[in-house]
Amino acid sequence: TSGELAMKPVSLATAISSAIATVSFASTCVVSSVAADEIAELHDRTITIDSHIDWPFRQTRVPDFDPGIRNELGPPNNGQWDIPRMEEGGLDAVFLAVFVPQRERNPEGLAAAKALADEQIDLTSAMVDTNEERVEFATSPADIVRIEAAGKRAILMGIENGYALGGDLENVEYFYDLGVRYLTLTHSRNNSLADSSTDDQQEWDGLSPFGTEVVREMNRLGMMVDISHVHDDTFWDVIALTEAPVIASHSSARSLRDVPRNMTDDMLRAVRDNGGVVQVCLLGDYIKDVEQSPEREAALAELEDERAALVAGALSDAEVEALLTQFRAINERYPENKPTVADAVDHIDHMVEIMGIDHVGIGSDFDGGGGLSGINDVSEMFNITQELAARGYSEADIQKLWGGNLMRVFGEVQEAAEAFTGST
């Protein structure tokens, strides 16, 4: 997620499920042995959703990037998402993540955080307006189905880092009214809502009192609670509190890659029991530990202090840009060895085994650190479908993994808002 610069969302749910089946021609046939063109047809008739791409924050740093034309990978753009490549990869819907880096929790920092979120929402709105013949905003599962049927791509928004709320509970509804449909509670450091999975020490032992209010308000409004990036204690607090299913917009399995950003098997089971969904993240370090060249390791080691300062929010915008320029130069000179699509589908296999087929999805983290060998940008989304088919997943199962599960949760969160009591 953008912070991975530190290298680093009859009953509504039933109606939506029916619509998915109608649009996607769901079947139970196993497609592992069918020809590539048949898998391509399967991919085309599946509603595909990526739950986390960091284009809005990136656009604030590369304002001349035009998402309406096909851009290439690599400097100076380094973009992994644009509308033509989205079309080329058969990706029907995307949650563009409004990412706000964690900075100081003083009045100035909080005001700047909300202002940055507003800027990214404005950029996203302008992008949709400029490309209205090809994309359209969606704020519900029904919107996604309708937009896909019209031959357009659906654009949705989530906010990454509750710091963007500026410490004001009323901003949850403010952002909801602007179209935001999920909120990732924390990012790389603790904030006023909760503890992060990657901060040096805990501050709240899970959710803070303010974070508890925020989760309740999200339940009331029908905004999905995103538990990617949160500390394990925060996760368990959310599970105990929420009246609606949760999502992890971009997290993988800790059993296969032991990093705190991933979910333990017990956490996966808890999301299953909650009715939620975990979206496998396509960021290499969360998928598999791959050996790098000594030259790359040495070059990155020289930037370790700057990387630590970035995670701590201690760099100015100019210093962040300078650091990113150095990272790009290293990547160009000493390319990263990355895990593969097959390695990512290993996580899907494991999570399906632990949670069942109804609770797993895909959130790439493109433009925020994501990208694997064989799936470097949204134009290569078909490669996941091909790997799933090769492993014997049925067409109906592939449709669930690619978007059906997330849309079910999305619909159930909105239904839960209608029945919200706030009593738990």
Side-chain angles (χ1 to χ4, degrees), residues 2-3 15 32 43 55 74 104 134-135 166 170 225 234-235 238 253 259 296 298 310 330 343 348 402 409 419 421:
S2 304
S32 59
H43 184 77
W55 174 81
E104 294 299 321
R134 301 161 77 183
V135 299
E170 292 184 359
V225 179
T234 302
F235 169 88
V238 171
V259 294
R296 178 181 174 83
L310 176 64
I330 291 171
D343 293 325
I348 292 177
W402 255 126
V409 171
T421 66

Side-chain angles (χ1 to χ4, degrees), residues 146-269:
R146 173 184 55 78
I147 293 166
E148 191 274 344
K152 294 184 179 182
R153 310 290 153 169
I155 304 297
L156 302 98
M157 291 188 295
I159 286 180
E160 184 175 27
N161 197 357
Y163 179 59
L165 297 177
D168 187 346
L169 185 65
E170 292 184 359
N171 282 332
V172 180
E173 187 166 8
Y174 168 83
F175 285 123
Y176 182 88
D177 289 344
L178 290 176
V180 172
R181 288 300 179 265
Y182 76 67
L183 173 69
T184 316
L185 297 179
T186 68
H187 190 247
S188 59
R189 297 171 62 211
N190 306 333
N191 60 26
S192 61
L193 283 72
D195 292 329
S196 165
S197 64
T198 50
D199 208 324
D200 291 337
Q201 59 185 9
Q202 288 185 257
E203 181 177 352
W204 305 105
D205 295 324
L207 278 174
S208 72
F210 178 58
T212 297
E213 291 185 275
V214 168
V215 170
R216 289 185 184 277
E217 180 70 351
M218 293 172 72
N219 284 174
R220 183 185 74 82
L221 292 167
M223 183 185 290
M224 291 181 285
V225 179
D226 180 13
I227 45 76
S228 287
H229 279 289
V230 303
H231 191 279
D232 290 8
D233 288 345
T234 302
F235 169 88
W236 291 111
D237 282 352
V238 171
I239 291 295
L241 174 66
T242 183
E243 294 187 28
V246 301
I247 68 167
S249 68
H250 57 307
S251 294
S252 300
R254 203 177 297 179
S255 288
L256 274 65
R257 178 64 173 134
D258 188 8
V259 294
R261 272 282 286 106
N262 286 342
M263 315 244 90
T264 68
D265 287 356
D266 282 345
M267 294 165 79
L268 295 175
R269 294 185 188 98

